[in-house]
Amino acid sequence: MLSVQMYLTLCSFIILSSFAQELRHKPVGTKPVRLFTDEDLAKYNGQEDGQPIYMAVKGVVFDVSSGKDFYGKDAPYNALVGKDSTRAVAKMSLKPDDLTSDTSGLTEEQMKSLEDIFINVYKAKYPIVGYTSRRILNEDGTPNKNFKPEDQPNFTIKEEF
């Protein structure tokens, strides 16, 4: 016969094991994220009806299709889609030279604006569908062995996963 203490210990073990099993096998509710090259991302530029509209900010690719009136074909911010437009978002610019992921030379105020827009607009409104490959690959497509998410400027990978 089991003592009360052994019974409670056994019940606790079963409950905790069940909980741990549930966490390990929790199904993902959304599509898996993917890695986008510049060429891949360019395919989602809002020019084709029925195709999703994607844009990247800080290397994070968002599905902005729900904002088609802003980002779709002939829409005011269509220049931002199909690419990583980090610099343009930071500067609130649609100039062709600003449609890039390059943040070098931005002011502290522009970097703060970028962070605010990234969190309060893009992360708050649009689903993340992937990341740009330049974050983890070299120019020739080989893995960047020195890549460390925690070392990326203005990017916290923990927030994304």
Side-chain angles (χ1 to χ4, degrees):
M1 187 153 211
L2 290 175
S3 71
V4 173
Q5 185 175 1
M6 284 184 70
Y7 178 76
L8 292 175
T9 302
L10 181 61
C11 287
S12 297
F13 176 78
I14 291 169
I15 291 169
L16 290 174
S17 295
S18 175
F19 181 71
Q21 183 81 1
E22 183 180 326
L23 287 177
R24 270 191 300 244
H25 299 291
K26 185 176 179 184
V28 178
T30 60
K31 293 180 183 177
V33 295
R34 71 181 256 210
L35 202 58
F36 288 86
T37 64
D38 291 344
E39 295 78 23
D40 292 335
L41 192 54
K43 296 173 188 172
Y44 301 94
N45 62 7
Q47 298 303 307
E48 289 186 40
D49 288 335
Q51 176 105 350
I53 305 169
Y54 295 166
M55 74 175 281
V57 179
K58 292 174 52 174
V60 179
V61 181
F62 296 95
D63 181 343
V64 296
S65 301
S66 64
K68 187 177 181 178
D69 291 343
F70 299 103
Y71 299 106
K73 187 176 184 178
D74 300 324
Y77 300 115
N78 178 258
L80 298 172
V81 301
K83 60 185 69 74
D84 189 324
S85 297
T86 301
R87 183 179 198 81
V89 170
K91 293 178 74 175
M92 296 184 184
S93 167
L94 294 175
K95 294 179 183 175
D97 289 348
D98 291 329
L99 299 173
T100 177
S101 61
D102 181 19
T103 59
S104 61
L106 293 177
T107 66
E108 187 176 325
E109 184 177 313
Q110 289 167 331
M111 293 303 289
K112 184 181 179 325
S113 174
L114 171 63
E115 189 65 20
D116 288 345
I117 293 169
F118 178 73
I119 292 169
N120 298 314
V121 176
Y122 292 101
K123 283 184 69 175
K125 289 178 72 171
Y126 302 110
I128 295 171
V129 293
Y131 298 89
T132 58
S133 61
R134 75 178 60 245
R135 286 217 166 269
I136 63 171
L137 300 177
N138 295 317
E139 289 288 321
D140 64 1
T142 60
N144 176 357
K145 295 181 183 189
N146 297 319
F147 174 80
K148 294 180 184 170
E150 63 274 13
D151 292 342
Q152 300 301 302
N154 303 301
F155 182 76
T156 307
I157 199 162
K158 291 176 189 170
E159 293 176 2
E160 311 310 327
F161 291 104

